[in-house]
Structures are given as C-alpha cells and as structure tokens.
Amino acid sequence: MNTLFNQYQALKAEQPTIRAVDAALKLNTTEAQLVAAQVGTNAIKLDINHIESILKGLKKLEHVMAMTRNELVINEIKGCYEKLYTSERNEQKMAIAINPGGIDLRLFLYKWASVFAVKLSNMVSIQCFDKYGQAVHKVFSTEQTNLAAYEALINKYSDCEQSNVLAIEPKIVQALTFKSQENIDAAGFLDAWENLQDVHHFPALLTKFDVCRTQALEIAQPHWAQEILPISLPYIFETLKKQQNEVMIFVNNDAAVQIYSGTLNNLKQVGPWYNVLDEGFNLHVRSDDFARAFVVKKPTDNGDVVVHSIEFFDSLGNTVLTLFGRRTEGNKQSNKWVNLCEQLWQQRLVA
C-alpha cells in the first residue's frame, strides 16, 4: 500500500490549496518523495541522465511558466524555453539560457538528482529535484502550451524504472561559517576587490580568500558595501515602480538561478507574502523573514563603470534575492538605480 500517497490525498482533501512543499513538511517527507509517491497516478519519473535533452526539448512546448524558488522567494516567468546551451567542466554539467526579459536561467545540472512529469488539477509540469529531495526548478504548462509536444517529450524520456520510492540524502542545515578575523587577509581581499575586472569574477574572489559572502560584505564596509535594513524591499520596489526603472531580479537556490529583467507594476502584500503580480512575471517574497541586506559596489575593467547591487540573505547567511539595475555589458546602470542605491547607502539603515 502506498501510504504516503494516501496521506497526501487526505491532506489535500482537508487543505485543497496547500503547496506541495508545505504538504511535504507536514507529512515529514521531502517534496521529491511526495512526487515519487504519485508515480503511476499523477506522476511519471523521467530519466535524469537525459536532463540536458529534456531541457532542450522544452522549446517545443512553446509557451510555459518557469519557476525557481528558495524558502523565502519564488520567481515565476512566462515565456519560451529557448537559447539553452549546456556545457561540462571537470565532470560538472551546466546549462544556461540567456533570454533577458524572458526565461533567463543558470542551471547547475550536476546538483540535480531526479526529474518527474507531474499532472496537476489544471496543468501539467516538469519538476526537478536535488539529491536532498528539494525542488530546484519547475516548468508548468499555460493555456498556450503545446501539450502534444509535452506528451512526446515525457514518452521519449520516461525512466525505465517507475517506482513510488525515491532514495534521498539527509541534508544538514547549518549557518555559513565565519572565519576568525586573524585568519583573513583583509587587506589582500580588499585590494583584490578594488581590482576586479568583471562582476562575474566575484565568486572566485570569495573562494580564493575562503570567506562567505556576508562576511566578505562586512569586511568591505564602508567602501564597497553597506548594510541596510532587510525590510527595505517594499520601498525599493515601490520606487522602481514609480520611476519605471528596469531592474534585474536574481532568485537562486543551490542548483539554479532564475533572472527577471524589466519593470515592476502591480505590487501587493497578501498575508506574509509581498508580491509582484505582473503579466508574464510573478514574484512572491517573504520579505519580513529576510535577515540581512547590503548595498554592494563592484568595479569593472571600465574604470567609469561601477556596478551597484542590493543583496538579501536569510538567517543562515544564504543569498535569497539579488537586485541589479538593468544594463548592457560594458555600460553604466541608470542614474535612477545608482541614486536609489546611494540613497539607501547614505541612510545606513543598519539594524
């Protein structure tokens, strides 16, 4: 007897609108295992060894909704799954979809462990999970999706083994470690920061000096970073809406990054969620649960161009949301964005 499946059905009967991730928590399981329990009824396991082909095949579905989330932020973008390129380095598979204004993705496929086709009450989906059973990326049908292409895709890449049981690894949740100050070459780190040539080189800088991101930002204060109140997001979004200033919104988990580029229009607080509810783009944020936030500056190889960002973190020190003023490579961000960042910087809204 599929006990987990029966428990899930009973829970949905009591709470029809419960999210799968919340249902998994209530049932003391993972979201991936909850989906696996539906194999043979509402779910089909796909072959993770063909994940690159599955993702490239999503283009034939035409119009879909892509979703990437972490515990505090959900990013949903409607569009076409196109311009997807895959690569492999040191036996680590990656994928990138460069579609500014559309479905724009950075996917760390080597961290993906399972993938399912899941039928919901009013749509179909492709759902991807890591080895811990956590959702890393999902793709949902819309009214404009080519459903025949969806059926062909899942038929082609169905796993030969369709089991209701999914093995996962337990995840140990812990805060990112801060090194003691005497073990950090702060002067060398700040010198390397000042000589950055490309904002994309920043993660390598953290690795080189073996510091986590929030500690790096603390070290960089007050020249390259400034901590602000984590509750600043609604003010930032309201300002961007008023100015109709284009922003890039990065939402990430350990295995995927999804990026929205454009303006913001319909902003609304619903319960604990602060939302952007625009046509083609939805963002849902538990902004009251942000633990820390920083305005950050990074130099580039063009001495006149300093890139400003606003970064938000959870209580464990994980990045959950990052904002950039939209720009084209090599060019400056808009004066409106820079002025907003400088305004927050000067107020020094330190909790």
Side-chain angles (χ1 to χ4, degrees):
M1 179 181 292
N2 191 339
T3 304
L4 180 56
F5 176 78
N6 293 334
Q7 291 175 335
Y8 184 36
Q9 296 307 304
L11 180 59
K12 287 200 297 182
E14 295 176 2
Q15 303 179 45
T17 60
I18 191 169
R19 297 189 305 157
V21 63
D22 295 326
L25 187 63
K26 278 184 172 291
L27 296 174
N28 195 31
T29 188
T30 68
E31 193 175 352
Q33 289 171 309
L34 197 61
V35 170
Q38 300 171 66
V39 166
T41 52
N42 301 325
I44 297 172
K45 187 179 182 184
L46 304 182
D47 190 344
I48 191 64
N49 295 313
H50 292 289
I51 188 60
E52 295 160 286
S53 298
I54 293 170
L55 293 174
K56 289 180 179 179
L58 292 172
K59 181 178 181 179
K60 294 183 179 180
L61 275 60
E62 299 169 4
H63 194 267
V64 296
M65 188 269 279
M67 183 185 83
T68 300
R69 70 163 193 252
N70 51 56
E71 289 191 3
L72 301 184
V73 189
I74 305 169
N75 182 330
E76 301 170 343
I77 300 176
K78 291 181 179 179
C80 296
Y81 216 101
E82 54 190 358
K83 297 180 182 177
L84 184 93
Y85 305 95
T86 59
S87 62
E88 184 171 345
R89 184 177 182 182
N90 298 326
E91 298 184 352
Q92 294 183 337
K93 292 182 179 180
M94 311 276 289
I96 184 170
I98 304 177
N99 297 297
I103 297 177
D104 199 358
L105 302 164
R106 313 292 182 265
L107 307 174
F108 309 102
L109 302 181
Y110 64 95
K111 295 185 177 182
W112 296 22
S114 61
V115 55
F116 296 85
V118 185
K119 184 177 181 180
L120 306 171
S121 59
N122 58 346
M123 66 185 75
V124 293
S125 65
I126 302 289
Q127 303 190 16
C128 310
F129 302 90
D130 64 15
K131 64 182 180 180
Y132 306 113
Q134 298 175 319
V136 294
H137 186 63
K138 298 183 180 182
V139 180
F140 297 89
S141 64
T142 69
E143 293 181 354
Q144 302 168 48
T145 298
N146 183 334
L147 295 178
Y150 172 84
E151 293 294 337
L153 185 69
I154 63 175
N155 288 336
K156 184 175 182 179
Y157 294 111
S158 293
D159 198 308
C160 59
E161 181 181 342
Q162 296 292 319
S163 172
N164 292 122
V165 179
L166 180 69
I168 61 144
E169 294 184 19
K171 184 174 184 178
I172 300 174
V173 178
Q174 58 187 15
L176 297 178
T177 304
F178 270 48
K179 293 177 64 177
S180 59
Q181 292 293 334
E182 59 267 22
N183 292 327
I184 299 175
D185 179 8
F189 175 72
L190 291 173
D191 182 66
W193 188 317
E194 186 171 356
N195 288 285
L196 273 174
Q197 300 293 297
D198 188 319
V199 295
H200 300 101
H201 297 164
F202 189 69
L205 186 67
L206 301 181
T207 301
K208 178 180 178 180
F209 287 89
D210 191 25
V211 290
C212 68
R213 202 174 189 96
T214 47
Q215 186 169 26
L217 299 181
E218 287 184 4
I219 295 170
Q221 293 189 109
H223 188 60
W224 294 110
Q226 177 60 55
E227 187 162 10
I228 63 175
L229 280 178
I231 58 172
S232 301
L233 185 69
Y235 171 76
I236 294 167
F237 276 11
E238 289 289 350
T239 302
L240 291 169
K241 173 187 174 181
K242 182 179 179 180
Q243 297 176 344
Q244 282 298 284
N245 195 15
E246 289 195 317
V247 65
M248 297 181 71
I249 299 175
F250 290 66
V251 176
N252 66 283
N253 52 52
D254 286 341
V257 182
Q258 185 163 305
I259 308 160
Y260 167 75
S261 300
T263 57
L264 306 178
N265 296 287
N266 186 16
L267 308 177
K268 187 175 183 180
Q269 183 81 40
V270 180
W273 296 93
Y274 183 71
N275 305 278
V276 181
L277 302 173
D278 288 344
E279 184 176 353
F281 171 62
N282 283 186
L283 189 76
H284 313 288
V285 187
R286 296 186 69 102
S287 56
D288 288 346
D289 292 335
F290 288 161
R292 305 186 74 178
F294 290 82
V295 176
V296 183
K297 300 178 183 179
K298 300 186 186 80
T300 67
D301 57 357
N302 182 340
D304 293 333
V305 177
V306 175
V307 176
H308 293 66
S309 62
I310 305 174
E311 305 185 9
F312 296 88
F313 300 86
D314 66 15
S315 60
L316 298 177
N318 299 305
T319 305
V320 291
L321 178 68
T322 305
L323 310 176
F324 287 88
R326 189 174 182 180
R327 72 184 184 106
T328 55
E329 194 68 31
N331 293 321
K332 294 182 179 180
Q333 295 167 309
S334 72
N335 289 334
K336 291 179 180 179
W337 173 256
V338 172
N339 290 340
L340 173 59
C341 290
E342 291 294 342
Q343 177 190 350
L344 293 166
W345 186 293
Q346 294 302 324
Q347 289 176 352
R348 286 175 168 77
L349 300 176
V350 181

